[in-house]
Amino acid sequence: MVIKNVCLETVCGITSVFPQNEHMEIAFAGKSNVGKSSLINVLMNRKSLARISSQPGKTQTINYYNINGEMYFVDLPGYGYTKASIEVKNQWGKMVERYLQSSKKLKAVFLLVDIRHEPSANDRTMYQWIQHNGFSPVIIATKLDKIKRSQVQKHRKMLIEGLNGQKDTVVIPFSAQTKQGRDEIYAYMDGLCESSN
């Protein structure tokens, strides 16, 4: 996959009507400090199109990035942000569920989980929720550069077991610092593009 042109095309809030896009969509979900914006920027070859914040929980909208005029990256609000009120969290949850249930072009959901730690209760809930809506989550195991290479397989297994995933669950370890894992993600996306044509 060669990414030439990207732009933030649509931003949807809690009451927004979602766009009916012609091209395939790939959604990105994850808790608010897992490195979602960093991953999206690395994939788009842009430094800061997806806003990275030292303050977690900044993504409170669903953001649609048009990629090459051929597909969309859909950045979902980060979950597990402790300072957001219960009411706001519920509104975000309903917005994400509405998106998952209504998008006709959604081909895959990438769930970002920190490779260093056991999945949280929120991670497990999100994994089950994505499955409940008819998708097999692709796990992007972020912060790969923070563990030793010899630990990768052990931590990969820990994530699958912690999420109650299947043996064939796709897990792609990724580092925003070294860009390791980017080519594997591109290859997965290329497969989605071919299957949707």
Side-chain angles (χ1 to χ4, degrees), residues 79 111 113 118-131 159-164:
Y79 56 81
L111 178 60
V113 183
E118 290 251 358
S120 67
N122 281 328
D123 291 327
R124 287 193 294 277
T125 299
M126 193 68 189
Y127 184 85
Q128 290 161 5
W129 202 29
I130 294 165
Q131 285 184 313
L159 291 186
I160 293 174
E161 288 176 353
L163 293 166
N164 293 322

Side-chain angles (χ1 to χ4, degrees), residues 136-150:
S136 298
V138 177
I139 306 305
I140 308 293
T142 63
K143 308 191 191 272
L144 175 61
D145 52 290
K146 307 285 191 197
I147 65 169
K148 293 177 182 164
R149 189 176 290 182
S150 59

Side-chain angles (χ1 to χ4, degrees), residues 69-101:
E70 296 170 352
M71 66 188 293
Y72 289 91
F73 289 174
V74 183
D75 185 8
L76 303 176
Y79 56 81
Y81 179 51
T82 51
K83 289 186 181 174
S85 69
I86 290 171
E87 184 186 352
V88 167
K89 286 180 191 171
N90 287 342
Q91 287 176 330
W92 290 351
K94 284 175 185 166
M95 178 169 65
V96 171
E97 186 164 37
R98 188 162 60 90
Y99 167 72
L100 292 175
Q101 290 175 348

Side-chain angles (χ1 to χ4, degrees), residues 160-174:
I160 293 174
E161 288 176 353
L163 293 166
N164 293 322
Q166 312 300 318
K167 282 189 177 170
D168 60 351
T169 298
V170 177
V171 178
I172 304 176
F174 173 79

